[in-house]
Amino acid sequence: MAAHQAAGKTESASVPAPAETALPKAWEPQAVEAELYQKWVDAGYFTADPKSEKPGFSIVLPPPNVTGSLHMGHALDHTLMDALCRRKRMQGFEVLWLPGMDHAGIATQMVVEKQLDAADTSRRELGREKFVERVWEWKAESGGTILEQMRRIGDGVDWSRERFTLDDGLSRAVQTIFKKLYDAGLIYRAERLVNWSPVLQTAISDIEVKHEEVDGELVSLRYGSLDDDEPHVIVATTRVETMLGDTAVAVHPDDERYRHLIGTTVYHPITGREIPIIADDYVDPAFGSGAVKITPAHDPNDFEMGMRHDLPMPTIMDERARIAHTGTEFDGMDRFEARVKIRERLAAEGRVVAEKRPYVHSVGHSERSGEVIEPRLSKQWWVKVENLAKMAGDAVRDGDTVIHPKSQEPRWFAWVDDMHDWCISRQLWWGHRIPIWYGPDGDVVCVGPDETAPEGYVQDTDVLDTWFSSGLWPFSTMGWPASTPELDKFYPTSVLVTGYDILFFWVARMMMFGRFVAEEDATTIAGKVPFHDVFLHGLVRDEFGRKMSKSRGNGIDPLDWVNRFGADALRFTLARGANPGSDLPIGEDHAQAARNFATKLFNATRFALMNGAEPGALPEFSALTDADRWILDRLEEVRAEVDSAFDRYEFGKACEALYHFAWDEFCDWYLELAKVQVNDEQYAESTRAVLGNVLDTLLRLLHPVIPFVTETLWTQLTGGESVVIAEWPEALRVPGDARAAQRIADAQHLITEIRRFRSDQGLRPGQKVPARITGTGAADLAGFESHVASLAKLTPAGDDFVASASIEVRTSRTTLTVELDTSGTIDLEAEKRRLSKDLAAAEKELAQTSAKLGNDAFLAKAPDHVVEKIRTRQRIAEEEVERIGARLTALGGA
């Protein structure tokens, strides 16, 4: 059996000592981020040139509210968009990432109204003109906090093209498309049911309504005669007060209990009117009594039934949700007060048949002001969406726009194929005022941007829904309705990045307007759609998978993470968890891990620079070691994997590939192997070249996601101006070497097993021990002797070598025996005490995890990922108990 010494060549005295580097000793992101970002802006790296001959790539930033501040959802959006833009810029595209803000009608008006209230005045005392001036003043002083926060996380947007949904250009676009839609018969005014906010006194959109489970009441009431022998019906309601607006009672046409009553009338116990009993398939005969009261002006389903049966629709509440116009003693009462008083009167009359409290049901609340929304019949302006929605659906069906992931397509079609007309008017003062003017004899005029209303005409007092102007965002921000170089170069935009939760509310509106304008104005806007790709990411959740909310107190301020861990750590945490359509749970541990990754990268580059690493021409393939060939081969595989993942918007996969290559392969293995090679004259120069080239490529691949640390390191490594404008890595022209990869894998396995054995023997990590490696395949280690010795902390076996311990290691070609002389290196009793302490801790962990997993109540309530985490802890504890127990046995027990 051939023998082989573990120690390798001695270090050459002619190898230079480590060089100095301009990098500081530690990575401190807070010290450099602001300066680096301003350098990029001042250099004009983010400013798009529409006259450039480069191919265009464009994204318009989903406009945050002027009242808003950066939350984790924004941070995710912005990180992914910035990563796409930075990569495309490096790939040679002319990139436009256009920023801006939304005027946020309701939210902004509320902010200023609260200020006026604190000053003991109101908007109505100021008047419309003065109030709007006051809001503009607030915007100039306090609006746009989020724009400064965008700089903190490194958003590479074109600040020279910043837009606002109420600026002159966008206002012109709004007025233009309103008139186009109006002239085409697609905008009309009608009395329909809306979400009404009694606090804000305006209609609000569906997205501004949040549904909450509340403890209400279900009251069963008797309509008709109190005599059981006379006609009567029992109805159940959670909103007793709405009975003042009842105009019918409905039953299912096939319900035998009520068939004889269909077409008759029944006495209303409050108003005294006779109301009809109608038949409608909507009624569920199995719910309650099978009869329902119909209040068309205050319930969406009742409204639809009222339309089908041509029922009267009296509105019984005013703008503040007080009972009005009923002619009863309840007029003037708040709706909730009236609910109690009406129930008390009916109970006194013997008409309350049953009451169920609490009755848990879902109730819509205003997201802005918090009160219960009142469905209310109101005269509003509407967009007729049938044809527009079909065009939006066809854009995806025809492949003009591709939704990523494809699994979200059914949700898209479900919305656009069943879309209801869109209420676009709001009873506010801050916003785009509806360009409709009223004249004598009911004359109505829609005024375009270059037109004026006839003298004496009065403009509509309402403003447009904020989503109306943001629906124009992809092309209005580039100058439409004018023909501009930006539209020629950058429209349609390349991709829209947003959360799947606003797919309908915003994306559908942009698609409808984009398709409509393309058909109406093909000379100005080229392209059928506003964006080629729609990438839908999931929601950011806390580490337990719960939705972040103020009520839970589990929200995370992204700027807090920036301050503590750096912007790169925030960005890498978010990008690493982002894959199409999937939610991403994050916690502080993730941010700390990302910060550690940046530090690891920094330290690796600093080591490489101190050892003369320099990118440039690689040596001839024959001059490279197996380690060099292996790391270059892996780098090319990772580069291709990252490119493919970015192209598919699989940010998480790209980040995972880069993380594990950088940490597990480059830092943990190649750098350690390189430490040996740079001290060998034969390989020092080629090793420095490989180090430099691998780092150059790796930093460029990582730059889109972690721009600050990569800029700092890449400029020091290469002397280049900025990695922002560096070329995206192309395929390496280095042939793969499967034999080198296998030899490295064998060496890694051997070193890992020796390290594990050393640990089990209780040897200190840096403690060197004499060793000898034998076996028929020992010759396969040729060239790796010094690597194994250095990384496994072994010294040559001398003439008096006596092995005190040994292990067998199976490689791809053979089995090796590693003999070590550990005599005199271990305090046996101290080692026993240490192992006994570790064993007790492992046994305690095993007992605790086993108890939890044996608790059926815990398993029923705990989320799946929490249970899996405990199972993993249990498995590790079992392995530790077995390993430590075996080691103690080998040492002779406790």
Side-chain angles (χ1 to χ4, degrees):
M1 189 178 283
H4 193 80
Q5 298 296 321
K9 300 178 181 179
T10 58
E11 296 181 0
S12 171
S14 63
V15 175
E20 291 297 319
T21 172
L23 289 175
K25 290 185 178 180
W27 172 236
E28 297 294 342
Q30 295 81 0
V32 300
E33 288 176 349
E35 183 180 345
L36 284 179
Y37 185 81
Q38 195 56 47
K39 166 194 159 185
W40 296 332
V41 173
D42 293 343
Y45 296 152
F46 307 143
T47 304
D49 179 7
K51 297 179 182 178
S52 167
E53 294 183 359
K54 298 177 183 177
F57 178 87
S58 58
I59 296 178
V60 290
L61 178 78
N65 287 354
V66 67
T67 59
S69 59
L70 198 73
H71 57 62
M72 274 298 180
H74 289 130
L76 172 61
D77 258 354
H78 293 210
T79 294
L80 303 185
M81 284 184 277
D82 193 39
L84 291 173
C85 289
R86 287 179 183 270
R87 175 173 177 254
K88 286 297 182 180
R89 194 176 288 114
M90 296 172 76
Q91 287 180 314
F93 286 77
E94 189 65 32
V95 174
L96 170 62
W97 186 16
L98 196 150
M101 290 186 297
D102 192 288
H103 64 277
I106 292 175
T108 308
Q109 182 157 321
M110 281 186 66
V111 168
V112 178
E113 286 206 61
K114 285 179 180 178
Q115 292 179 346
L116 294 177
D117 185 58
D120 201 25
T121 185
S122 69
R123 67 179 169 110
R124 300 199 183 277
E125 288 186 33
L126 283 181
R128 185 168 194 144
E129 186 176 341
K130 291 291 185 183
F131 175 76
V132 171
E133 287 177 7
R134 189 70 168 263
V135 182
W136 278 109
E137 289 172 5
W138 174 87
K139 177 191 179 289
E141 294 170 4
S142 307
T145 297
I146 198 170
L147 298 181
E148 288 306 311
Q149 295 174 329
M150 287 165 56
R151 295 172 179 267
R152 293 287 309 279
I153 65 172
D155 281 8
V157 297
D158 186 346
W159 291 111
S160 70
R161 287 182 169 80
E162 181 187 335
R163 303 305 299 269
F164 182 54
T165 50
L166 275 179
D167 67 27
D168 290 342
L170 269 67
S171 294
R172 182 180 182 83
V174 167
Q175 203 170 351
T176 299
I177 198 166
F178 187 98
K179 183 167 177 59
K180 286 180 177 289
L181 290 165
Y182 182 84
D183 290 346
L186 297 177
I187 285 182
Y188 65 95
R189 196 181 190 203
E191 200 169 35
R192 297 281 184 85
L193 210 66
V194 297
N195 300 309
W196 186 264
S197 166
V199 171
L200 302 172
Q201 295 179 55
T202 180
I204 62 175
S205 71
D206 290 341
I207 198 172
E208 290 154 338
V209 177
K210 58 179 181 179
H211 287 83
E212 300 175 357
E213 296 292 314
V214 300
D215 289 343
E217 60 182 7
L218 183 66
V219 182
S220 297
L221 306 172
R222 181 169 179 142
Y223 283 35
S225 176
L226 290 172
D227 184 345
D228 290 345
D229 294 329
E230 297 295 325
H232 65 275
V233 291
I234 307 298
V235 299
T237 180
T238 58
R239 304 173 68 217
V240 174
E241 71 280 5
T242 62
M243 71 178 299
L244 298 174
D246 288 350
T247 56
V249 171
V251 297
H252 194 276
D254 298 332
D255 194 332
E256 293 291 343
R257 293 171 296 175
Y258 301 111
R259 182 169 290 178
H260 66 289
L261 294 177
I262 295 172
T264 66
T265 62
V266 66
Y267 172 79
H268 190 284
I270 296 290
T271 66
R273 296 192 304 268
E274 291 287 331
I275 58 176
I277 296 178
I278 62 174
D280 196 286
D281 290 334
Y282 173 78
V283 179
D284 179 3
F287 178 77
S289 67
V292 294
K293 58 189 251 1
I294 306 301
T295 315
H298 292 276
D299 181 273
N301 296 317
D302 291 5
F303 175 77
E304 296 296 331
M305 211 178 302
M307 293 288 286
R308 287 196 293 273
H309 295 273
D310 197 25
L311 297 175
M313 298 187 181
T315 300
I316 54 128
M317 294 184 204
D318 63 13
E319 291 83 356
R320 296 183 184 274
R322 296 174 303 200
I323 304 300
H325 315 303
T326 68
T328 69
E329 71 266 32
F330 306 107
D331 280 356
M333 290 184 185
D334 175 79
R335 53 184 167 162
F336 299 119
E337 179 188 4
R339 180 178 298 177
V340 174
K341 297 297 184 183
I342 293 172
R343 186 181 67 242
E344 289 176 348
R345 172 177 157 175
L346 293 173
E349 295 176 2
R351 291 187 176 275
V352 175
V353 177
E355 296 178 84
K356 184 178 181 180
R357 296 193 193 90
Y359 179 73
V360 179
H361 62 130
S362 180
V363 176
H365 291 70
S366 170
E367 186 179 48
R368 299 295 178 188
S369 46
E371 85 280 17
V372 173
I373 286 301
E374 184 61 42
R376 183 172 184 270
L377 198 61
S378 178
K379 184 170 282 189
Q380 303 282 347
W381 286 96
W382 303 80
V383 172
K384 190 181 297 183
V385 300
E386 183 180 1
N387 291 334
L388 297 174
K390 183 180 184 305
M391 289 193 292
D394 289 345
V396 175
R397 289 187 182 93
D398 297 342
D400 296 321
T401 294
V402 179
I403 293 177
H404 305 266
K406 191 176 179 63
S407 60
Q408 291 290 335
E409 278 189 8
R411 176 181 289 192
W412 171 258
F413 293 129
W415 279 332
V416 298
D417 292 348
D418 190 31
M419 193 183 296
H420 301 291
D421 285 2
W422 170 21
C423 176
I424 57 172
S425 48
R426 299 290 180 265
Q427 291 64 56
L428 304 171
W429 287 356
W430 173 246
H432 293 281
R433 196 163 173 181
I434 289 178
I436 293 290
W437 295 71
Y438 303 103
D441 302 323
D443 191 26
V444 177
V445 176
C446 181
V447 176
D450 296 315
E451 302 170 349
T452 56
E455 189 173 348
Y457 279 53
V458 177
Q459 189 173 5
D460 196 293
T461 57
D462 288 350
V463 300
L464 286 164
D465 177 13
T466 299
W467 296 100
F468 191 94
S469 52
S470 61
L472 309 178
W473 190 250
F475 48 91
S476 64
T477 51
M478 296 189 198
W480 185 86
S483 178
T484 67
E486 285 78 10
L487 285 169
D488 289 342
K489 181 75 175 180
F490 298 114
Y491 190 86
T493 62
S494 305
V495 58
L496 174 73
V497 177
T498 191
Y500 62 69
D501 53 326
I502 60 170
L503 177 62
F504 169 69
F505 296 105
W506 186 44
V507 182
R509 284 155 171 73
M510 288 189 289
M511 188 75 85
M512 289 191 302
F513 282 165
R515 292 296 302 269
F516 174 76
V517 169
E519 290 197 357
E520 291 283 312
D521 194 8
T523 58
T524 302
I525 290 190
K528 298 179 180 179
V529 291
F531 22 73
H532 294 302
D533 284 359
V534 175
F535 169 64
L536 299 170
H537 58 72
L539 304 179
V540 184
R541 298 183 178 273
D542 73 9
E543 59 187 322
F544 303 110
R546 300 173 305 181
K547 189 173 182 179
M548 293 184 181
S549 68
K550 291 181 180 179
S551 60
R552 283 198 181 98
N554 63 341
I556 301 170
D557 180 355
L559 269 298
D560 175 56
W561 279 11
V562 171
N563 292 331
R564 294 167 59 199
F565 307 116
D568 288 332
L570 169 72
R571 293 168 60 112
F572 195 76
T573 298
L574 293 169
R576 191 179 180 188
N579 280 305
S582 300
D583 290 347
L584 54 153
I586 59 170
E588 194 166 297
D589 288 351
H590 298 90
Q592 184 63 62
R595 166 62 196 263
N596 293 344
F597 178 60
T599 299
K600 185 87 167 179
L601 200 63
F602 181 89
N603 292 338
T605 307
R606 192 170 187 276
F607 163 80
L609 288 170
M610 292 178 66
N611 283 274
E614 186 176 356
L618 286 169
E620 291 294 325
F621 187 70
S622 59
L624 299 176
T625 66
D626 284 343
D628 298 334
R629 297 174 185 180
W630 162 72
I631 199 66
L632 290 171
D633 197 20
R634 283 295 299 130
L635 178 64
E636 171 54 21
E637 290 174 355
V638 169
R639 184 209 62 78
E641 185 179 351
V642 168
D643 256 346
S644 177
F646 267 126
D647 287 342
R648 299 191 307 270
Y649 304 105
E650 294 176 346
F651 298 90
K653 288 186 178 180
C655 290
E656 281 295 305
L658 288 167
Y659 176 89
H660 288 294
F661 172 78
W663 192 300
D664 302 340
E665 296 178 291
F666 180 70
C667 293
D668 283 359
W669 282 107
Y670 183 73
L671 276 187
E672 297 302 313
L673 298 170
K675 287 178 183 178
V676 178
Q677 294 180 180
V678 294
N679 287 314
D680 188 321
E681 279 186 333
Q682 182 180 355
Y683 302 117
E685 185 176 348
S686 61
T687 301
R688 294 187 184 105
V690 172
L691 271 174
N693 277 278
V694 172
L695 272 173
D696 172 26
T697 299
L698 178 60
L699 292 171
R700 283 185 285 151
L701 289 171
L702 282 164
H703 174 72
V705 177
I706 49 174
F708 293 105
V709 68
T710 52
E711 173 79 345
T712 301
L713 299 177
W714 187 87
T715 51
Q716 283 293 316
L717 176 72
T718 67
E721 179 184 338
S722 173
V723 70
V724 176
I725 54 173
E727 291 185 3
W728 184 252
E730 298 288 341
L732 296 172
R733 291 181 174 81
V734 177
D737 189 333
R739 181 174 178 276
Q742 188 58 64
R743 279 165 54 79
I744 289 293
D746 286 345
Q748 288 173 331
H749 179 59
L750 175 62
I751 293 165
T752 299
E753 289 303 309
I754 295 174
R755 285 172 170 173
R756 181 178 293 118
F757 182 73
R758 285 172 55 98
S759 175
D760 288 344
Q761 293 295 310
L763 297 174
R764 296 188 304 276
Q767 184 177 3
K768 293 188 176 183
V769 295
R772 178 172 58 207
I773 302 175
T774 59
T776 55
D780 289 346
L781 288 178
F784 284 109
E785 303 95 335
S786 55
H787 300 88
V788 173
S790 176
L791 273 64
K793 304 300 180 187
L794 306 179
T795 59
D799 294 337
D800 57 349
F801 175 79
V802 177
S804 60
S806 67
I807 57 169
E808 289 189 347
V809 179
R810 179 176 294 279
T811 68
S812 62
R813 293 165 58 91
T814 188
T815 298
L816 300 174
T817 300
V818 183
E819 298 174 297
L820 301 94
D821 178 7
T822 61
S823 60
T825 62
I826 303 175
D827 181 335
L828 192 60
E829 293 307 315
E831 179 64 6
K832 287 181 181 179
R833 289 193 297 271
R834 183 186 71 82
L835 288 171
S836 295
K837 185 178 179 181
D838 291 348
L839 179 61
E843 288 173 338
K844 181 179 179 181
E845 170 74 353
L846 179 59
Q848 289 176 341
T849 53
S850 298
K852 280 191 175 182
L853 292 174
N855 185 331
D856 291 338
F858 169 78
L859 294 176
K861 293 180 180 179
D864 290 344
H865 68 276
V866 172
V867 174
E868 185 56 36
K869 195 172 183 179
I870 293 173
R871 285 199 178 109
T872 300
R873 285 171 50 195
Q874 183 192 47
R875 284 195 296 272
I876 293 172
E878 287 172 343
E879 291 170 1
E880 284 294 280
V881 168
E882 182 179 352
R883 182 185 68 80
I884 298 169
R887 174 64 181 147
L888 269 172
T889 300
L891 293 178

